[in-house]
Each structure stands twice: as C-alpha cells, then as structure tokens.
Amino acid sequence: GPKVLQIPSHQIIDMGQMVTLNCDPVSNHLYFYWYKQILGQQMEFLVNFYNGKVMEKSKLFKDQFSVERPDGSYFTLKIQPTALEDSAVYFCASSSGQNERLFFGHGTKLSVL
Amino acid sequence: TQTVSQSDAHVTVFEGDSVELRCNYSYGGSIYLSWYIQHHGHGLQFLLKYYSGNPVVQGVNGFEAEFSKSDSSFHLRKASVHWSDSAVYFCAVSAYSNNRIFFGDGTQLVVKP
C-alpha cells in the first residue's frame, strides 16, 4: 500500500544543535502532519500543513520548530536549537484530504544529548 | 477542543478470547472517530473510521467499533484475538471544523498463547 518514508530512522545530536527530520509523504497527498511520541505512548499533535502553509499547530510546536515542503521535495521538521526535552520519536503522516485517514511513517527517533 | 480518553492502559487476554478496548470522547459538534494500531517500532496503521450512518463500523482483521452518541464512546471490539493482534491501539478524534486529529493515550493489548 501507500507508504510514508522518514529519514533518518535515528538521529543523535548535541543539545543546541539544529536538526532536520525528513519525510517523503504518499504521492498525491495534500495534507501533512507531524506528531511527537514519548515512551511509546501519547501521540501528541504538533502541526498540520496544507498548500504550503501551516494550518494548525499545538502548544508543543515551539518557536524553535519550523516546517516546510519546497516543491517536489521532502516535508521537513526543523528544530533549531534543540533542547533535551525534544528527545522523542517524531512521526510524519499524510492524508489525501481533510479528516481522511492518516498514513504514517515509521518514525525518526531523536536523541538530544 | 475535542478530547479523547482511553481508560485502559493495558489489557491482557488469551488467544481466542474476545476483547473490547474502550474509547470515550468529548466534543460538542460533529466529529470523526477512528482507531489505529501500532506495532512496536512502527508507525500507526489505520483500522477503521466512523463519521455517520451505521454506528457499527467494520475494519481490517476482524475488528469492529461501535459509536454511541449517548455514551460518547467508540469502543473497539474483536470476537477472537490472535497473538499477532498484540500491539498498542489508539483511538482518535477530529472535528469536522478542523483537521487537528487528537489521539488517546493508547491501550497496550497483550495476547497470550
């Protein structure tokens, strides 16, 4: 079936550095999402993105976070600078329409030291 | 803002047993309800969804869920579980008016042989 690819699967960085998480969504999908998962539970909504713009974001989407999808490239989540509490697994998802089912990637485990 | 709660963090059953995973939501308007499954180390996979019509919806692998407006619930059921059903199950809710999909805290289902 349709797949969402996330690169890399694991990223280790020092606190204060910048990190970019990459997501290759399902082709022809129009809506993109980032979720944060801690300790294998609690899928926390971060942001959704449509037509080149952030549509909604949560309180967890701090000023240090940004998302973009330049034409034909990855949907990215950038954190600059990183903090210890940013350590988590970040999941990218995409959907074909508003409130349609989400297709998730396998996640990127971010470890901030 | 819509919220969703899953009262059971862990459920353990034996293979062949029936199981019900509980989900309750709160929101004053029209909503979409869905269930996702997450196997260890993977992203979430869609099981089923409800937004109108028959309150009992069928999903993949023998799962079904029943919507109850009076109870504000959308419990997931399976008549006879298999060891491969062991996973974390997430209930999700989103409002018609936005595209912010909220997940419950998840229920870890363990199926013993």
Side-chain angles (χ1 to χ4, degrees):
Chain A
K3 292 189 186 297
V4 174
L5 300 176
Q6 288 188 242
I7 302 165
S9 58
H10 194 179
Q11 180 90 49
I12 302 172
I13 60 169
D14 291 323
M15 182 178 63
Q17 284 190 313
M18 181 194 76
V19 68
T20 300
L21 308 184
N22 298 297
C23 172
D24 186 10
V26 176
S27 60
N28 299 321
H29 277 190
L30 302 175
Y31 293 82
F32 313 113
Y33 312 77
W34 283 103
Y35 283 84
K36 179 181 181 181
Q37 186 176 45
I38 298 173
L39 299 177
Q41 299 280 108
Q42 291 194 314
M43 288 289 288
E44 302 279 4
F45 171 82
L46 286 176
V47 65
N48 58 23
F49 188 87
Y50 169 73
N51 198 26
K53 294 183 293 188
V54 170
M55 300 301 292
E56 293 162 300
K57 58 185 180 181
S58 72
K59 292 179 183 177
L60 294 178
F61 194 78
K62 304 178 293 185
D63 291 342
Q64 297 91 321
F65 288 34
S66 63
V67 292
E68 64 175 355
R69 193 194 186 204
D71 289 342
S73 65
Y74 292 137
F75 175 53
T76 62
L77 173 66
K78 184 185 293 186
I79 309 174
Q80 181 179 25
T82 50
L84 294 177
E85 61 264 27
D86 296 330
S87 295
V89 180
Y90 290 83
F91 287 94
C92 173
S94 67
S95 67
S96 58
Q98 188 160 331
N99 288 311
E100 293 297 323
R101 60 172 286 192
L102 301 182
F103 289 81
F104 282 85
H106 284 200
T108 293
K109 183 176 182 179
L110 177 64
S111 300
V112 181
L113 307 178
Chain B
T1 302
Q2 60 271 36
T3 63
V4 56
S5 66
Q6 294 179 244
S7 54
D8 299 315
H10 294 92
V11 172
T12 300
V13 295
F14 288 94
E15 211 169 16
D17 285 350
S18 63
V19 71
E20 179 178 85
L21 306 182
R22 292 192 291 253
C23 172
N24 290 89
Y25 66 91
S26 66
Y27 186 69
S30 300
I31 55 171
Y32 293 88
L33 292 157
S34 50
W35 278 94
Y36 287 78
I37 180 175
Q38 184 181 32
H39 290 284
H40 182 70
H42 293 273
L44 277 65
Q45 290 180 281
F46 175 82
L47 279 179
L48 47 74
K49 180 179 179 179
Y50 171 84
Y51 58 90
S52 68
N54 188 336
V56 179
V57 290
Q58 304 295 325
V60 297
N61 294 334
F63 285 97
E64 67 173 31
E66 183 167 4
F67 169 71
S68 170
K69 189 173 182 179
S70 59
D71 293 340
S72 297
S73 68
F74 189 56
H75 301 330
L76 181 70
R77 301 189 293 248
K78 186 168 182 178
S80 177
V81 294
H82 186 263
W83 64 266
S84 60
D85 293 324
S86 296
V88 180
Y89 290 79
F90 290 92
C91 182
V93 60
S94 60
Y96 274 32
S97 58
N98 63 52
N99 198 29
R100 186 185 289 208
I101 301 167
F102 289 96
F103 288 89
D105 288 347
T107 297
Q108 172 106 48
L109 175 65
V110 174
V111 180
K112 293 186 174 181

mmCIF file of all heavy atoms in Angstrom, chain A residues 70-102:
data_model
loop_
_atom_site.group_PDB
_atom_site.id
_atom_site.type_symbol
_atom_site.label_atom_id
_atom_site.label_comp_id
_atom_site.label_asym_id
_atom_site.label_seq_id
_atom_site.Cartn_x
_atom_site.Cartn_y
_atom_site.Cartn_z
ATOM 1 N N PRO A 70 9.336 22.435 0.253
ATOM 2 C CA PRO A 70 9.635 23.012 -1.058
ATOM 3 C C PRO A 70 9.141 22.083 -2.163
ATOM 4 O O PRO A 70 9.115 20.869 -1.975
ATOM 5 C CB PRO A 70 11.163 23.113 -1.049
ATOM 6 C CG PRO A 70 11.556 23.089 0.390
ATOM 7 C CD PRO A 70 10.529 22.239 1.075
ATOM 8 N N ASP A 71 8.728 22.618 -3.282
ATOM 9 C CA ASP A 71 8.100 21.838 -4.357
ATOM 10 C C ASP A 71 8.870 20.569 -4.685
ATOM 11 O O ASP A 71 10.065 20.608 -4.953
ATOM 12 C CB ASP A 71 7.993 22.694 -5.622
ATOM 13 C CG ASP A 71 6.948 23.769 -5.458
ATOM 14 O OD1 ASP A 71 6.116 23.639 -4.551
ATOM 15 O OD2 ASP A 71 6.959 24.730 -6.247
ATOM 16 N N GLY A 72 8.142 19.440 -4.659
ATOM 17 C CA GLY A 72 8.705 18.167 -5.075
ATOM 18 C C GLY A 72 9.734 17.570 -4.143
ATOM 19 O O GLY A 72 10.375 16.583 -4.492
ATOM 20 N N SER A 73 9.882 18.125 -2.954
ATOM 21 C CA SER A 73 10.906 17.600 -2.053
ATOM 22 C C SER A 73 10.262 17.115 -0.760
ATOM 23 O O SER A 73 9.054 16.977 -0.666
ATOM 24 C CB SER A 73 11.947 18.677 -1.764
ATOM 25 O OG SER A 73 11.341 19.740 -1.058
ATOM 26 N N TYR A 74 11.107 16.839 0.207
ATOM 27 C CA TYR A 74 10.620 16.322 1.480
ATOM 28 C C TYR A 74 9.787 17.357 2.235
ATOM 29 O O TYR A 74 9.984 18.568 2.100
ATOM 30 C CB TYR A 74 11.792 15.914 2.378
ATOM 31 C CG TYR A 74 12.585 14.720 1.909
ATOM 32 C CD1 TYR A 74 13.977 14.718 1.963
ATOM 33 C CD2 TYR A 74 11.956 13.578 1.434
ATOM 34 C CE1 TYR A 74 14.719 13.625 1.559
ATOM 35 C CE2 TYR A 74 12.688 12.481 1.021
ATOM 36 C CZ TYR A 74 14.072 12.504 1.087
ATOM 37 O OH TYR A 74 14.801 11.425 0.689
ATOM 38 N N PHE A 75 8.910 16.827 3.064
ATOM 39 C CA PHE A 75 8.234 17.626 4.085
ATOM 40 C C PHE A 75 9.128 17.540 5.320
ATOM 41 O O PHE A 75 9.380 16.445 5.824
ATOM 42 C CB PHE A 75 6.843 17.041 4.351
ATOM 43 C CG PHE A 75 6.094 17.699 5.472
ATOM 44 C CD1 PHE A 75 5.910 19.070 5.520
ATOM 45 C CD2 PHE A 75 5.529 16.933 6.484
ATOM 46 C CE1 PHE A 75 5.200 19.673 6.542
ATOM 47 C CE2 PHE A 75 4.814 17.521 7.513
ATOM 48 C CZ PHE A 75 4.658 18.887 7.547
ATOM 49 N N THR A 76 9.630 18.667 5.773
ATOM 50 C CA THR A 76 10.648 18.630 6.820
ATOM 51 C C THR A 76 10.174 19.294 8.110
ATOM 52 O O THR A 76 9.362 20.229 8.095
ATOM 53 C CB THR A 76 11.930 19.338 6.376
ATOM 54 O OG1 THR A 76 11.638 20.715 6.119
ATOM 55 C CG2 THR A 76 12.505 18.691 5.131
ATOM 56 N N LEU A 77 10.707 18.774 9.199
ATOM 57 C CA LEU A 77 10.552 19.400 10.514
ATOM 58 C C LEU A 77 11.953 19.798 10.976
ATOM 59 O O LEU A 77 12.834 18.956 11.098
ATOM 60 C CB LEU A 77 9.922 18.430 11.517
ATOM 61 C CG LEU A 77 9.869 18.901 12.972
ATOM 62 C CD1 LEU A 77 8.943 20.106 13.128
ATOM 63 C CD2 LEU A 77 9.401 17.767 13.892
ATOM 64 N N LYS A 78 12.134 21.074 11.203
ATOM 65 C CA LYS A 78 13.429 21.580 11.640
ATOM 66 C C LYS A 78 13.298 22.075 13.068
ATOM 67 O O LYS A 78 12.319 22.774 13.411
ATOM 68 C CB LYS A 78 13.899 22.716 10.747
ATOM 69 C CG LYS A 78 15.294 23.244 11.089
ATOM 70 C CD LYS A 78 15.663 24.449 10.246
ATOM 71 C CE LYS A 78 15.838 24.090 8.803
ATOM 72 N NZ LYS A 78 16.332 25.246 8.003
ATOM 73 N N ILE A 79 14.266 21.715 13.880
ATOM 74 C CA ILE A 79 14.308 22.196 15.257
ATOM 75 C C ILE A 79 15.646 22.914 15.441
ATOM 76 O O ILE A 79 16.707 22.344 15.254
ATOM 77 C CB ILE A 79 14.211 21.046 16.287
ATOM 78 C CG1 ILE A 79 13.019 20.138 15.980
ATOM 79 C CG2 ILE A 79 14.065 21.622 17.700
ATOM 80 C CD1 ILE A 79 12.934 18.906 16.866
ATOM 81 N N GLN A 80 15.550 24.190 15.789
ATOM 82 C CA GLN A 80 16.764 24.996 15.942
ATOM 83 C C GLN A 80 16.554 26.094 16.971
ATOM 84 O O GLN A 80 15.756 27.014 16.724
ATOM 85 C CB GLN A 80 17.156 25.600 14.592
ATOM 86 C CG GLN A 80 18.428 26.447 14.649
ATOM 87 C CD GLN A 80 18.812 27.025 13.293
ATOM 88 O OE1 GLN A 80 17.961 27.201 12.415
ATOM 89 N NE2 GLN A 80 20.085 27.300 13.120
ATOM 90 N N PRO A 81 17.228 26.031 18.119
ATOM 91 C CA PRO A 81 18.128 24.971 18.567
ATOM 92 C C PRO A 81 17.355 23.862 19.279
ATOM 93 O O PRO A 81 16.244 24.076 19.754
ATOM 94 C CB PRO A 81 19.018 25.715 19.573
ATOM 95 C CG PRO A 81 18.087 26.735 20.174
ATOM 96 C CD PRO A 81 17.148 27.145 19.061
ATOM 97 N N THR A 82 17.956 22.692 19.370
ATOM 98 C CA THR A 82 17.322 21.580 20.063
ATOM 99 C C THR A 82 17.518 21.694 21.575
ATOM 100 O O THR A 82 18.479 22.314 22.051
ATOM 101 C CB THR A 82 17.895 20.251 19.604
ATOM 102 O OG1 THR A 82 19.323 20.316 19.675
ATOM 103 C CG2 THR A 82 17.472 19.929 18.178
ATOM 104 N N ALA A 83 16.583 21.074 22.301
ATOM 105 C CA ALA A 83 16.644 21.015 23.756
ATOM 106 C C ALA A 83 16.496 19.554 24.184
ATOM 107 O O ALA A 83 16.024 18.720 23.395
ATOM 108 C CB ALA A 83 15.533 21.860 24.370
ATOM 109 N N LEU A 84 16.871 19.268 25.426
ATOM 110 C CA LEU A 84 16.819 17.881 25.908
ATOM 111 C C LEU A 84 15.417 17.304 25.804
ATOM 112 O O LEU A 84 15.242 16.126 25.453
ATOM 113 C CB LEU A 84 17.308 17.807 27.356
ATOM 114 C CG LEU A 84 18.784 18.133 27.595
ATOM 115 C CD1 LEU A 84 19.089 18.095 29.100
ATOM 116 C CD2 LEU A 84 19.690 17.171 26.836
ATOM 117 N N GLU A 85 14.410 18.143 26.076
ATOM 118 C CA GLU A 85 13.017 17.657 26.064
ATOM 119 C C GLU A 85 12.492 17.395 24.658
ATOM 120 O O GLU A 85 11.372 16.907 24.496
ATOM 121 C CB GLU A 85 12.098 18.649 26.788
ATOM 122 C CG GLU A 85 12.050 20.032 26.167
ATOM 123 C CD GLU A 85 13.008 20.989 26.843
ATOM 124 O OE1 GLU A 85 14.041 20.537 27.402
ATOM 125 O OE2 GLU A 85 12.720 22.206 26.803
ATOM 126 N N ASP A 86 13.305 17.676 23.658
ATOM 127 C CA ASP A 86 12.896 17.357 22.291
ATOM 128 C C ASP A 86 13.158 15.890 21.954
ATOM 129 O O ASP A 86 12.734 15.410 20.897
ATOM 130 C CB ASP A 86 13.629 18.252 21.282
ATOM 131 C CG ASP A 86 13.273 19.719 21.436
ATOM 132 O OD1 ASP A 86 12.134 20.020 21.861
ATOM 133 O OD2 ASP A 86 14.141 20.573 21.150
ATOM 134 N N SER A 87 13.843 15.191 22.829
ATOM 135 C CA SER A 87 14.083 13.760 22.609
ATOM 136 C C SER A 87 12.748 13.021 22.582
ATOM 137 O O SER A 87 11.964 13.098 23.526
ATOM 138 C CB SER A 87 14.969 13.187 23.713
ATOM 139 O OG SER A 87 16.264 13.756 23.675
ATOM 140 N N ALA A 88 12.513 12.308 21.496
ATOM 141 C CA ALA A 88 11.237 11.611 21.301
ATOM 142 C C ALA A 88 11.307 10.913 19.949
ATOM 143 O O ALA A 88 12.308 11.009 19.234
ATOM 144 C CB ALA A 88 10.064 12.593 21.317
ATOM 145 N N VAL A 89 10.231 10.219 19.618
ATOM 146 C CA VAL A 89 10.083 9.701 18.256
ATOM 147 C C VAL A 89 9.110 10.622 17.532
ATOM 148 O O VAL A 89 8.013 10.903 18.037
ATOM 149 C CB VAL A 89 9.564 8.259 18.242
ATOM 150 C CG1 VAL A 89 9.428 7.766 16.794
ATOM 151 C CG2 VAL A 89 10.508 7.349 19.014
ATOM 152 N N TYR A 90 9.523 11.092 16.390
ATOM 153 C CA TYR A 90 8.694 12.008 15.603
ATOM 154 C C TYR A 90 8.127 11.249 14.415
ATOM 155 O O TYR A 90 8.857 10.643 13.628
ATOM 156 C CB TYR A 90 9.513 13.204 15.136
ATOM 157 C CG TYR A 90 9.886 14.119 16.271
ATOM 158 C CD1 TYR A 90 10.994 13.852 17.074
ATOM 159 C CD2 TYR A 90 9.108 15.234 16.575
ATOM 160 C CE1 TYR A 90 11.326 14.667 18.142
ATOM 161 C CE2 TYR A 90 9.424 16.067 17.635
ATOM 162 C CZ TYR A 90 10.534 15.775 18.424
ATOM 163 O OH TYR A 90 10.854 16.578 19.491
ATOM 164 N N PHE A 91 6.807 11.308 14.307
ATOM 165 C CA PHE A 91 6.128 10.626 13.212
ATOM 166 C C PHE A 91 5.576 11.638 12.233
ATOM 167 O O PHE A 91 4.921 12.619 12.620
ATOM 168 C CB PHE A 91 4.974 9.761 13.740
ATOM 169 C CG PHE A 91 5.424 8.523 14.446
ATOM 170 C CD1 PHE A 91 5.575 8.506 15.812
ATOM 171 C CD2 PHE A 91 5.693 7.372 13.723
ATOM 172 C CE1 PHE A 91 5.985 7.350 16.478
ATOM 173 C CE2 PHE A 91 6.112 6.209 14.371
ATOM 174 C CZ PHE A 91 6.259 6.208 15.744
ATOM 175 N N CYS A 92 5.819 11.353 10.990
ATOM 176 C CA CYS A 92 5.226 12.112 9.904
ATOM 177 C C CYS A 92 4.020 11.331 9.388
ATOM 178 O O CYS A 92 4.004 10.097 9.408
ATOM 179 C CB CYS A 92 6.248 12.286 8.785
ATOM 180 S SG CYS A 92 5.600 13.033 7.279
ATOM 181 N N ALA A 93 3.002 12.041 8.958
ATOM 182 C CA ALA A 93 1.830 11.406 8.368
ATOM 183 C C ALA A 93 1.330 12.270 7.220
ATOM 184 O O ALA A 93 1.606 13.473 7.162
ATOM 185 C CB ALA A 93 0.724 11.217 9.410
ATOM 186 N N SER A 94 0.596 11.634 6.319
ATOM 187 C CA SER A 94 -0.029 12.389 5.240
ATOM 188 C C SER A 94 -1.428 11.841 4.987
ATOM 189 O O SER A 94 -1.749 10.712 5.378
ATOM 190 C CB SER A 94 0.814 12.336 3.961
ATOM 191 O OG SER A 94 0.848 11.029 3.411
ATOM 192 N N SER A 95 -2.262 12.655 4.374
ATOM 193 C CA SER A 95 -3.614 12.232 4.024
ATOM 194 C C SER A 95 -4.023 12.898 2.723
ATOM 195 O O SER A 95 -3.469 13.938 2.334
ATOM 196 C CB SER A 95 -4.625 12.566 5.135
ATOM 197 O OG SER A 95 -4.777 13.961 5.277
ATOM 198 N N SER A 96 -5.018 12.288 2.073
ATOM 199 C CA SER A 96 -5.449 12.805 0.781
ATOM 200 C C SER A 96 -6.407 13.977 0.914
ATOM 201 O O SER A 96 -6.595 14.744 -0.041
ATOM 202 C CB SER A 96 -6.120 11.689 -0.019
ATOM 203 O OG SER A 96 -7.220 11.170 0.707
ATOM 204 N N GLY A 97 -7.019 14.096 2.080
ATOM 205 C CA GLY A 97 -7.975 15.173 2.279
ATOM 206 C C GLY A 97 -8.149 15.475 3.736
ATOM 207 O O GLY A 97 -7.605 14.778 4.608
ATOM 208 N N GLN A 98 -8.904 16.502 4.016
ATOM 209 C CA GLN A 98 -9.145 16.879 5.405
ATOM 210 C C GLN A 98 -9.960 15.802 6.089
ATOM 211 O O GLN A 98 -10.948 15.330 5.548
ATOM 212 C CB GLN A 98 -9.897 18.209 5.457
ATOM 213 C CG GLN A 98 -10.028 18.767 6.850
ATOM 214 C CD GLN A 98 -10.318 20.254 6.849
ATOM 215 O OE1 GLN A 98 -9.917 20.968 5.942
ATOM 216 N NE2 GLN A 98 -11.017 20.715 7.863
ATOM 217 N N ASN A 99 -9.513 15.406 7.265
ATOM 218 C CA ASN A 99 -10.181 14.383 8.065
ATOM 219 C C ASN A 99 -10.208 13.008 7.407
ATOM 220 O O ASN A 99 -10.979 12.146 7.808
ATOM 221 C CB ASN A 99 -11.599 14.818 8.450
ATOM 222 C CG ASN A 99 -11.594 15.919 9.491
ATOM 223 O OD1 ASN A 99 -10.911 15.817 10.504
ATOM 224 N ND2 ASN A 99 -12.323 16.987 9.247
ATOM 225 N N GLU A 100 -9.384 12.802 6.404
ATOM 226 C CA GLU A 100 -9.224 11.466 5.845
ATOM 227 C C GLU A 100 -8.215 10.667 6.671
ATOM 228 O O GLU A 100 -7.476 11.231 7.480
ATOM 229 C CB GLU A 100 -8.751 11.548 4.389
ATOM 230 C CG GLU A 100 -9.787 12.135 3.438
ATOM 231 C CD GLU A 100 -11.032 11.269 3.350
ATOM 232 O OE1 GLU A 100 -10.909 10.022 3.378
ATOM 233 O OE2 GLU A 100 -12.140 11.839 3.274
ATOM 234 N N ARG A 101 -8.177 9.370 6.451
ATOM 235 C CA ARG A 101 -7.266 8.520 7.215
ATOM 236 C C ARG A 101 -5.824 8.961 7.005
ATOM 237 O O ARG A 101 -5.450 9.416 5.927
ATOM 238 C CB ARG A 101 -7.427 7.052 6.819
ATOM 239 C CG ARG A 101 -7.156 6.769 5.354
ATOM 240 C CD ARG A 101 -7.136 5.294 5.040
ATOM 241 N NE ARG A 101 -5.924 4.650 5.538
ATOM 242 C CZ ARG A 101 -5.554 3.424 5.207
ATOM 243 N NH1 ARG A 101 -6.298 2.694 4.407
ATOM 244 N NH2 ARG A 101 -4.456 2.897 5.699
ATOM 245 N N LEU A 102 -5.050 8.809 8.072
ATOM 246 C CA LEU A 102 -3.643 9.173 8.016
ATOM 247 C C LEU A 102 -2.794 7.963 7.668
ATOM 248 O O LEU A 102 -3.045 6.844 8.129
ATOM 249 C CB LEU A 102 -3.181 9.716 9.373
ATOM 250 C CG LEU A 102 -3.911 10.942 9.915
ATOM 251 C CD1 LEU A 102 -3.299 11.373 11.236
ATOM 252 C CD2 LEU A 102 -3.871 12.078 8.921
#
